[in-house]
């Protein structure tokens, strides 16, 4: 097969052609383009050589499009418009205004107002960035951000996290904990903040260890220091199950303060003295995408 050694078709050829086609006058087109007339004529001839057709009929008094030129003009305009769109998309992607943000989150995160507000602000500021949501346990979020399959993890922690050195976190929210129980439960009648010792002998309904962000282990450790082991009646896999079984009186549970806003008629809430719950945004230090950097700036700006 013979090698095509014809010069390539360039966007500037199309721009020159469209300008001449609109002006139908080489002098006016050259002035509009900000170049002299001879180079413009040379570029149009080069374009015709590449295409192998005549695009203009020229006389000493007039310039008009040939049939090939008439058919080529809308295609040239569309090609230039598509090139402009592609350039705009590239610039927007570089600034993080278009693209994708893959986000992992812990099961209770969608019920936390501060986190939901942060996501809503990002959506309002960057409407052309698609947000991919993945409900994942903490360890899978850490692994995903480390490998690059996730851009951001939003997770809950009750103690300092040991993360790989290439990952970093920003605090989103820190809040106290509350005990939730049926309104007729004896602990609901106490007019004071509860202590961990009040949980001795109580039937507890907790998130499953995989989704509990280390809370179950921390609770067991603190209770052991007080001389008892907590009685875990059930480990729920969803927030709805956790609250529903507590409302049914099958046990009591411990929630972060923001989750207590789901104040069901059958539930009462009491503060409990124990380590605070923190929501953290986790990201890769070196390989953060432009959209990830924008999300981080939004969080840092409050």
């Amino acid at each position: 097969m013979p090698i095509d050694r014809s010069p390539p078709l360039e966007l500037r050829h199309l721009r020159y052609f469209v300008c001449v086609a609109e002006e139908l006058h080489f002098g006016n087109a050259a002035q509009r383009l900000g170049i002299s007339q001879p180079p413009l004529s040379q570029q149009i001839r080069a374009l015709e050589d590449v295409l192998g057709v005549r695009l203009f009929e020229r006389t000493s008094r007039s310039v008009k499009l040939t049939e090939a030129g008439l058919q080529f003009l809308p295609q040239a305009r569309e090609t230039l418009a598509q090139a402009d769109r592609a350039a705009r998309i590239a610039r927007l992607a570089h600034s993080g205004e278009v693209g994708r943000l893959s986000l992992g989150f812990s099961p209770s995160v969608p019920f936390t107002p501060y986190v939901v507000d942060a996501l809503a602000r990002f959506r309002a500021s960057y409407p052309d960035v698609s947000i991919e949501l993945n409900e994942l346990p903490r360890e899978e979020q850490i692994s995903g951000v480390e490998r690059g399959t996730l851009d951001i993890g939003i997770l809950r922690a009750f103690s300092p996290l040991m993360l790989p050195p290439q990952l970093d976190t920003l605090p989103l929210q820190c809040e106290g904990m509350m005990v939730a129980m049926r309104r007729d439960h004896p602990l609901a009648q106490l007019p004071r903040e509860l202590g961990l010792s009040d949980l001795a002998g109580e039937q507890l309904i907790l998130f499953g260890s995989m989704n509990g962000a280390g809370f179950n282990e921390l609770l067991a450790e603190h209770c052991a220091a007080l001389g008892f082991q907590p009685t875990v009646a059930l480990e729920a896999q969803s927030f709805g199950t956790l609250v529903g079984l507590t409302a049914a009186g099958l046990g009591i549970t411990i929630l972060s303060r923001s989750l207590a806003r789901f104040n069901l008629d059958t539930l009462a809430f009491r503060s409990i003295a124990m380590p605070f719950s923190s929501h953290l945004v986790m990201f890769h230090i070196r390989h953060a995408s432009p959209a990830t950097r924008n999300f981080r700036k939004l969080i840092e700006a409050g």
Side-chain angles (χ1 to χ4, degrees), residues 179 187 190 192-202 204 219 222-231 252 254 271-274:
V179 177
L187 290 180
L190 298 179
R192 60 172 174 81
E193 180 180 65
L194 302 181
L196 284 176
S197 58
D198 292 312
L199 303 184
E202 295 290 342
L204 297 177
L219 177 64
H222 282 262
C223 290
L226 295 174
F228 73 97
Q229 290 295 322
T231 304
I252 66 175
I254 304 173
S271 296
I272 183 168
M274 65 177 306

Side-chain angles (χ1 to χ4, degrees), residues 206-225:
L206 304 176
F207 270 122
S209 296
M210 181 175 291
N211 295 322
F215 175 76
N216 297 6
E217 295 78 6
L218 182 69
L219 177 64
E221 179 183 329
H222 282 262
C223 290

Side-chain angles (χ1 to χ4, degrees), residues 108-122 154-156 170-175 256-259 261-262 277-281 295-302:
S108 62
V109 161
F111 300 97
T112 307
Y114 190 90
V115 176
V116 171
D117 289 346
L119 291 173
R121 284 189 285 127
F122 183 82
I154 299 182
L155 42 81
R156 187 187 296 274
L170 283 175
L172 262 179
Q173 184 181 27
C174 187
E175 56 183 344
S256 59
R257 185 173 295 275
S258 62
L259 297 180
R261 70 191 180 98
F262 294 93
S277 165
S278 297
H279 274 110
L280 305 171
V281 175
F295 190 86
R296 177 177 180 173
K297 290 176 185 176
L298 183 145
I299 296 302
E300 291 175 329

Side-chain angles (χ1 to χ4, degrees), residues 10-294:
E10 300 180 17
L11 289 178
R12 62 188 173 91
H13 290 147
L14 300 184
R15 291 193 179 93
Y16 292 165
F17 164 74
V18 170
C19 189
V20 174
E22 291 174 349
E23 296 290 339
L24 291 179
H25 189 286
F26 275 80
N28 292 346
Q31 185 176 9
R32 179 172 147 191
L33 291 166
I35 61 175
S36 61
Q37 184 173 332
L40 176 58
S41 298
Q42 292 170 5
Q43 291 299 319
I44 294 299
R45 283 195 296 270
L47 174 60
E48 291 176 326
D49 289 343
V50 169
L51 298 176
V53 300
R54 308 306 295 176
L55 298 173
F56 296 101
E57 291 181 0
R58 310 167 181 85
T59 69
S60 59
R61 295 184 178 182
S62 68
V63 175
K64 68 177 183 178
L65 288 163
T66 64
E67 182 60 26
L70 286 170
Q71 297 300 319
F72 186 59
L73 179 57
Q75 303 300 323
R77 283 174 171 153
E78 177 56 30
T79 299
L80 291 172
Q82 179 59 42
D84 288 342
R85 287 193 293 269
R88 178 176 177 273
I89 290 297
R91 288 190 289 268
L92 290 174
H94 179 72
S95 64
E97 295 178 66
V98 299
R100 179 183 69 100
L101 185 72
S102 180
L103 190 148
F105 61 93
S106 302
S108 62
V109 161
F111 300 97
T112 307
Y114 190 90
V115 176
V116 171
D117 289 346
L119 291 173
R121 284 189 285 127
F122 183 82
R123 166 62 70 204
S125 299
Y126 303 99
D128 294 323
V129 175
S130 64
I131 301 177
E132 177 186 294
L133 300 174
N134 306 271
E135 183 176 315
L136 297 169
R138 183 171 67 184
E139 293 307 315
E140 289 187 31
Q141 290 189 56
I142 294 172
S143 175
V145 174
E146 186 178 16
R147 296 195 318 269
T149 56
L150 287 177
D151 295 308
I152 284 174
I154 299 182
L155 42 81
R156 187 187 296 274
F158 297 90
S159 57
L161 292 178
M162 299 299 293
L163 294 175
Q166 61 268 35
L167 302 187
D168 198 5
T169 61
L170 283 175
L172 262 179
Q173 184 181 27
C174 187
E175 56 183 344
M177 306 298 290
M178 303 193 80
V179 177
M181 68 215 89
R182 279 185 62 90
R183 290 186 179 276
D184 56 3
H185 192 282
L187 290 180
Q189 315 312 313
L190 298 179
R192 60 172 174 81
E193 180 180 65
L194 302 181
L196 284 176
S197 58
D198 292 312
L199 303 184
E202 295 290 342
Q203 299 288 304
L204 297 177
I205 303 172
L206 304 176
F207 270 122
S209 296
M210 181 175 291
N211 295 322
F215 175 76
N216 297 6
E217 295 78 6
L218 182 69
L219 177 64
E221 179 183 329
H222 282 262
C223 290
L226 295 174
F228 73 97
Q229 290 295 322
T231 304
V232 180
L234 179 69
E235 290 192 346
Q237 301 306 311
S238 71
F239 178 73
T241 300
L242 191 77
V243 173
L245 295 180
T246 302
L250 299 181
I252 66 175
T253 192
I254 304 173
L255 303 172
S256 59
R257 185 173 295 275
S258 62
L259 297 180
R261 70 191 180 98
F262 294 93
N263 197 353
L264 303 181
D265 292 339
T266 55
L267 291 182
F269 296 88
R270 293 291 182 273
S271 296
I272 183 168
M274 65 177 306
F276 278 30
S277 165
S278 297
H279 274 110
L280 305 171
V281 175
M282 175 179 58
F283 52 90
H284 202 289
I285 296 173
R286 295 190 300 275
H287 303 304
S289 68
T292 301
R293 292 194 293 269
N294 286 341

